[in-house]
Amino acid sequence: MAIKTVFIDGESGTTGLGIRERLLAMPDVVLKSLPSERRRDPAARRDLMAEVDLVVLCLPDDAAKESAAMAASLGNAAPKVLDASTAHRVDPDWVYGFAEMLPGQADRIAAAKNVANPGCYPTGGIGLLRPLIDAGFIPVDYPITINAVSGYSGGGKAMIQDHEATGGPAFELYGLKLEHKHVPETQLYGGLTRRPIFVPAVGHFRQGMLVSVPLHLDTLNGKPTGADLRAVLEERYAGCDLVKVMSPQADGKLEPEALNDTDRLELYVHANEKHRQAILVARLDNLGKGASGAAVQNIGLMLGLHTGVGARELADA
């Protein structure tokens, strides 16, 4: 298989470092980078983009838009682009990089020139909701509430430093102005016409995530049971390596760190038929399937690669 070249624009951040580490374990990938003193040089970045097969953008939104435009300006020499920021996630000209979201989505990613990597919270929320909306159980205008908690690594360098230097708060809600940047993609790719209420939280643990959606079963179309909801999820994700529908925990508990350092996504349906209530729960590593792991999965699809061991790295002068 031909060697593919990748440039991570913004490789020093949490997601960029995670992608870099994973790509170094792929034998058919060569990572190309710029010396630190040239990483802010537009001409140097543009020249390197022209040399590689794919550019990964691990940048703030405005910088990601500028970098994507720079890549596109290369015309026929333009590389494929995977954007890990929020900048292009609801852009109709970019393919959404949740490979298991719909039948054929992995093929769309593989054929795409530009792919937007999903957010961590939306990966859990969309993973739970989209199959049930497609099946007709959840109406598209249903008043969805999504509650979630993440490890502090999802908050970037400042939050990581705060928690690791001073201990940080044990637990805190945030995004209470109801303008969280992940809501638009959750609504769009979840298939909802009504904006969901999203209540995120951060705990004093480094990584791991739980995303939960409470439901009154009698308010859903067809008044399904918990088993009906689980059957839909099982059908959607049958044969998926990374997304699995799990049996409910007998003790009614779930902790967020069980999938740390993996790229897996687990989905649960906990239901109480006596009270006709259910809670859908997604568990994932916010740095794995929620960020770097999903990015490398998409890179593999976009470049036609399989993961392995023994990658090489080249640094441009």
Side-chain angles (χ1 to χ4, degrees), residues 2-301:
I3 297 295
K4 300 294 185 179
T5 53
V6 175
F7 166 43
I8 304 173
D9 195 0
E11 65 179 28
S12 63
T14 304
T15 299
L17 290 171
I19 294 171
R20 174 188 171 89
E21 180 181 356
R22 285 169 167 81
L23 290 181
L24 285 172
M26 297 176 68
D28 28 24
V29 170
V30 169
L31 285 176
K32 304 199 76 175
S33 61
L34 291 167
S36 57
E37 67 272 12
R38 302 186 67 199
R39 289 177 183 171
R40 294 182 181 274
D41 180 346
R45 290 166 57 223
R46 189 175 188 274
D47 288 345
L48 187 53
M49 287 180 178
E51 297 178 14
V52 300
D53 297 297
L54 185 143
V55 173
V56 185
L57 307 181
C58 296
L59 301 165
D61 284 7
D62 288 344
K65 291 176 182 178
E66 292 176 3
S67 193
M70 183 184 295
S73 72
L74 293 166
N76 292 334
K80 290 192 171 187
V81 177
L82 175 69
D83 184 7
S85 81
T86 316
H88 297 101
R89 289 182 185 161
V90 295
D91 187 325
D93 294 328
W94 288 62
V95 172
Y96 194 61
F98 186 175
E100 298 86 2
M101 181 178 72
L102 295 170
Q105 190 69 10
D107 293 332
R108 287 185 278 274
I109 293 167
K113 191 74 173 176
N114 297 312
V115 173
N117 212 51
C120 50
Y121 291 124
T123 297
I126 295 165
L128 292 167
L129 292 169
R130 183 62 182 265
L132 301 176
I133 289 171
D134 288 346
F137 282 136
I138 298 179
V140 296
D141 62 349
Y142 194 86
I144 289 289
T145 296
I146 302 171
N147 302 291
V149 60
S150 173
Y152 60 77
S153 59
K157 289 183 178 180
M159 183 176 287
I160 292 172
Q161 183 177 6
D162 183 42
H163 276 263
E164 295 186 349
T166 67
F171 179 90
E172 64 178 342
L173 296 178
Y174 68 100
L176 295 177
K177 294 182 179 180
L178 302 179
E179 291 288 353
H180 195 282
K181 65 181 182 179
H182 286 169
V183 172
E185 65 185 284
T186 303
Q187 180 179 355
L188 176 62
Y189 296 108
L192 295 164
T193 59
R194 184 193 297 264
R195 181 181 174 89
I197 294 175
F198 175 48
V199 187
V202 62
H204 185 55
F205 53 94
R206 180 173 176 82
Q207 63 198 84
M209 174 173 285
L210 294 172
V211 180
S212 61
V213 180
L215 295 171
H216 290 276
L217 295 173
D218 286 343
T219 66
L220 303 183
N221 292 332
K223 302 186 184 307
T225 64
D228 293 331
L229 302 184
R230 179 175 173 176
V232 169
L233 295 177
E234 288 177 337
E235 181 179 2
R236 171 61 58 89
Y237 300 113
C240 292
D241 293 331
L242 297 177
V243 182
K244 299 295 182 183
V245 180
M246 310 297 290
S247 297
Q249 300 282 17
D251 62 3
K253 298 179 181 179
L254 275 175
E255 59 89 11
E257 299 178 272
L259 296 184
N260 284 5
D261 301 316
T262 79
D263 295 335
R264 301 201 306 274
L265 170 65
E266 292 180 348
L267 305 177
Y268 296 82
V269 178
H270 284 263
N272 184 311
E273 298 301 338
K274 174 184 174 182
H275 299 300
R276 298 293 292 149
Q277 295 174 327
I279 300 176
L280 313 177
V281 186
R283 176 161 63 181
L284 65 157
D285 181 354
N286 58 289
L287 299 181
K289 184 62 170 168
S292 303
V296 173
Q297 180 185 9
N298 287 324
I299 290 167
L301 289 168

